[in-house]
Amino acid sequence: QVQLVESGGGLVQPGGSLRLSCVASGTILTIYNVGWYRQAPGLQRELVATITRGETTNYADSVKGRFTISRDNAKNTVYLRMNSLKSEDTAVYYCNAAYGARDYWGQGTQVTVSS
């Protein structure tokens, strides 16, 4: 059974940093294109960042220059490093792994940016 488990969320002040982790079990994450998404209350889920199997990265305009997506194949993990956090980054962050017909989501981790 494939599972994605996110962690690393929490409460942080504006300007602070967090690193989210997405650990996969039951599969090898290197074969997937992996994305981080987020959903704030009352809003639709939006794409934050992606990393392809070939490690090409892409970012939403709102996080460019502040967020970095990376993968550690030895740990079967994809990370999202978030710097210079703003209140508008507050959301539940989800990890998604997709390859062909395979499409998996984690349960999400809450990120709250507030003073």
Side-chain angles (χ1 to χ4, degrees):
Q1 183 179 0
V2 176
Q3 281 191 315
L4 302 179
V5 178
E6 302 99 332
S7 63
L11 173 63
V12 63
Q13 293 186 341
S17 298
L18 285 174
R19 189 181 75 162
L20 306 184
S21 299
C22 172
V23 181
S25 61
T27 190
I28 300 173
L29 206 53
T30 53
I31 69 172
Y32 295 87
N33 297 318
V34 178
W36 283 97
Y37 293 74
R38 66 187 181 188
Q39 188 167 19
L43 299 180
Q44 289 189 333
R45 190 172 296 187
E46 64 173 355
L47 179 65
V48 175
T50 59
I51 185 165
T52 68
R53 296 167 60 194
E55 306 214 7
T56 298
T57 59
N58 190 40
Y59 299 91
D61 287 343
S62 60
V63 306
K64 278 181 182 176
R66 301 189 297 123
F67 290 11
T68 303
I69 189 170
S70 62
R71 56 198 318 162
D72 185 334
N73 295 331
K75 295 184 178 180
N76 217 26
T77 300
V78 171
Y79 301 101
L80 184 69
R81 177 68 179 181
M82 306 185 295
N83 295 328
S84 302
L85 282 161
K86 305 174 181 180
S87 58
E88 51 262 45
D89 295 318
T90 295
V92 178
Y93 283 71
Y94 298 90
C95 175
N96 170 262
Y99 176 59
R102 306 176 194 178
D103 188 67
Y104 304 106
W105 290 88
Q107 83 291 347
T109 185
Q110 175 71 46
V111 172
T112 302
V113 184
S114 175
S115 55

